[in-house]
Amino acid sequence: MKIKNRLWLALLFGLLCNYSHSQTTATPSTPVVKLNVSGWSPNLKNYYIALFEELLVLAEPQFGPHELAPISLEISTKRAVLLSETGELPLGFATRWESMYNNIENSNLYYYPYLNRLLGLRQIIVPTSKLADFSNSMSFEEFRALKPGQGAGWPDAEIYKAHSIEVVNAKSYEYLFPMLLLNRFDYVPLSILEIDGVLAQINKIGNTYSVVPNLYIYYPIPVYIRSNKISTHTDKLVAYALKRYFSEEHKQQNQLLFDNHFAHAKKALPTREDTIFYLDNNALEDELNEQFKHEFKQLYKLSD
């Protein structure tokens, strides 16, 4: 009888343990938010990830805790849009070019001044030996006669071509700067937000390349967060968090984040004494081009 009682107690204990374990493992894990940062430079990837981490914190009281999973793949813009449409990569940063040339009917585009209007502000990299050939007194006609180098598939090339500027495309980004030294083209224009990181990378061995001082190119590039409509929970979370983050209440918070990631850009901003060549973005309507150029000039005190 004692043996039966012991067997019964052991069986009961085992059942209780299994029940307890099943209850523990049945607890739902923290939801994961996938963020596509493919195709962006390291500076911009780091900023986008940090921005989304702050957005998730702001959304937590309303939507609960979430874990961020940044994803960076070697894929084309078209492929990234397709993965967004299917919900595999429901979130990502996009430019207006994507909305023009790719199907985004299943996506919402959220526009806020994520990069303080600076993505389209370009400085140019040239061989240090040719730095003296460039001057901020250069006319637009002189500038237009020079050839910029662009990576394969960079949409910026269409902007230059629309202004009768001949563009030379490199097979890939890695070929750009060796080609520049071989005089295949005259300069490489890069965003003020990323040019310092690129310069440090290509000048590891010596001061082979330089940024031309006091000479800039500007064209409007609106940046959006693209959110898949099918992922309704994530889409609502993003809309809610963005509205809070870019409110007056959090203005200092988002400016501090930007300054922490792009302190170098603040030091390199143009003044009224510098030369800025303003180009229209042929992917935008005339009204938007004028609006963005006006806002940029006002924001950085480049006009009255």
Side-chain angles (χ1 to χ4, degrees):
M1 186 71 178
K2 287 183 179 180
I3 293 174
K4 285 184 178 179
N5 285 340
R6 286 175 184 172
L7 287 173
W8 170 250
L9 288 172
L11 179 61
L12 181 61
F13 180 76
L15 289 171
L16 287 172
C17 286
N18 285 336
Y19 175 79
S20 175
H21 177 70
S22 67
Q23 289 297 100
T24 303
T25 55
T27 303
S29 59
T30 305
V32 174
V33 173
K34 295 179 182 178
L35 176 67
N36 180 26
V37 292
S38 304
W40 296 95
S41 69
N43 282 11
L44 291 170
K45 283 181 183 179
N46 292 336
Y47 171 73
Y48 291 153
I49 291 168
L51 171 61
F52 253 88
E53 286 173 344
E54 294 200 354
L55 291 176
L56 292 182
V57 170
L58 285 178
E60 188 168 335
Q62 185 80 9
F63 292 87
H66 287 72
E67 181 183 340
L68 184 65
I71 297 171
S72 183
L73 304 170
E74 294 295 325
I75 54 175
S76 66
T77 299
K78 190 172 184 179
R79 178 66 177 161
V81 172
L82 178 63
L83 292 175
S84 173
E85 293 280 294
T86 61
E88 293 176 68
L89 292 178
L91 283 174
F93 284 83
T95 64
R96 183 59 179 268
W97 285 297
E98 291 187 25
S99 62
M100 271 194 72
Y101 302 122
N102 296 283
N103 176 27
I104 56 162
E105 63 182 19
N106 291 327
S107 298
N108 282 321
L109 295 176
Y110 294 104
Y111 173 72
Y112 287 91
Y114 306 107
L115 297 168
N116 288 0
R117 303 280 193 277
L118 289 178
L119 183 60
L121 181 62
R122 262 50 178 161
Q123 288 183 288
I124 63 178
I125 292 178
V126 299
T128 302
S129 60
K130 296 194 173 182
L131 194 56
D133 296 343
F134 291 80
S135 164
N136 69 327
S137 61
M138 179 182 290
S139 69
F140 182 68
E141 290 307 315
E142 291 172 318
F143 167 74
R144 190 156 60 179
L146 301 173
K147 300 175 186 177
Q150 295 280 281
W154 288 8
D156 307 55
E158 298 305 315
I159 293 178
Y160 295 109
K161 290 176 184 177
H163 291 81
S164 302
I165 297 172
E166 185 180 347
V167 174
V168 178
N169 292 311
K171 187 177 180 181
S172 69
Y173 172 82
E174 290 73 21
Y175 289 103
L176 266 179
F177 296 102
M179 288 174 67
L180 180 60
L181 284 183
L182 293 172
N183 299 319
R184 294 288 304 279
F185 41 80
D186 299 296
Y187 63 93
V188 176
L190 292 173
S191 170
I192 193 175
L193 299 175
E194 57 193 347
I195 200 166
D196 71 313
V198 171
L199 193 66
Q201 186 180 42
I202 60 179
N203 273 343
K204 283 181 179 178
I205 298 176
N207 189 32
T208 309
Y209 304 93
S210 295
V211 173
V212 176
N214 312 115
L215 186 64
Y216 299 82
I217 307 166
Y218 178 80
Y219 40 84
I221 305 181
V223 179
Y224 303 84
I225 286 178
R226 185 183 62 239
S227 175
N228 185 291
K229 293 178 184 177
I230 300 170
S231 306
T232 53
H233 175 80
T234 303
D235 187 50
K236 288 178 181 178
L237 181 154
V238 169
Y240 171 84
L242 283 172
K243 189 174 182 180
R244 287 197 64 194
Y245 189 73
F246 285 97
S247 67
E248 195 65 30
E249 178 187 359
H250 295 280
K251 188 174 182 178
Q252 283 187 314
Q253 180 183 352
N254 64 60
Q255 186 60 50
L256 180 62
L257 179 70
F258 182 87
D259 291 346
N260 286 341
H261 283 265
F262 302 112
H264 59 280
K266 289 187 70 175
K267 297 175 184 176
L269 287 172
T271 67
R272 295 191 185 194
E273 286 70 45
D274 297 325
T275 296
I276 308 173
F277 296 122
Y278 290 95
L279 307 179
D280 285 340
N281 183 338
N282 60 320
L284 302 179
E285 298 85 354
D286 291 342
E287 295 80 5
L288 273 180
N289 271 302
E290 292 307 312
Q291 176 191 330
F292 273 85
K293 285 188 286 186
H294 174 74
E295 290 174 357
F296 169 74
K297 291 175 183 178
Q298 291 293 310
L299 186 60
Y300 296 105
K301 299 179 173 58
L302 298 170
S303 63
D304 297 323

